Amino acid sequence: MIEVPYRDISPDALQGLLEDFVTRQGYDTTEVDIGLEDWVQQVRQQLVKGELTIVFDPLTESVTILTKQEYRKRVQEADL
């Protein structure tokens, strides 16, 4: 797994990644009266604060967003 700094991703690609993440996680179907763009902004803020990180998995050739804790855990498990 490779951590990808959000600053290294083009604005359009980052927006698409955030929207995909939010919709896959089901945030847009919650009963809370918050729209997609509000959820995307919240996830973006968590990236900026360093609470979340973007990760590329070369085995599956996929990109996802994980908490820093989850990323560290997966890296440790991969090293075992």
Side-chain angles (χ1 to χ4, degrees), residues 18-29:
L18 294 174
E19 289 176 4
D20 181 64
F21 175 76
V22 166
T23 55
R24 277 188 292 126
Q25 296 301 317
Y27 290 114
D28 62 331
T29 60

Side-chain angles (χ1 to χ4, degrees), residues 22-77:
V22 166
T23 55
R24 277 188 292 126
Q25 296 301 317
Y27 290 114
D28 62 331
T29 60
T30 63
E31 294 183 20
V32 178
D33 192 25
I34 296 178
L36 175 65
E37 192 53 41
D38 293 325
W39 284 117
V40 167
Q41 188 59 30
Q42 287 184 23
V43 173
R44 184 185 307 271
Q45 288 172 354
Q46 290 175 327
L47 282 170
V48 170
K49 290 179 183 177
E51 297 169 357
L52 297 175
T53 190
I54 298 170
V55 179
F56 173 71
D57 184 344
L59 294 176
T60 61
E61 297 182 354
S62 63
V63 177
T64 194
I65 298 173
L66 300 173
T67 64
K68 286 285 191 172
Q69 181 181 14
E70 181 64 24
Y71 173 68
R72 284 188 212 107
K73 179 181 174 185
R74 290 187 185 190
V75 168
Q76 286 176 347
E77 289 172 352

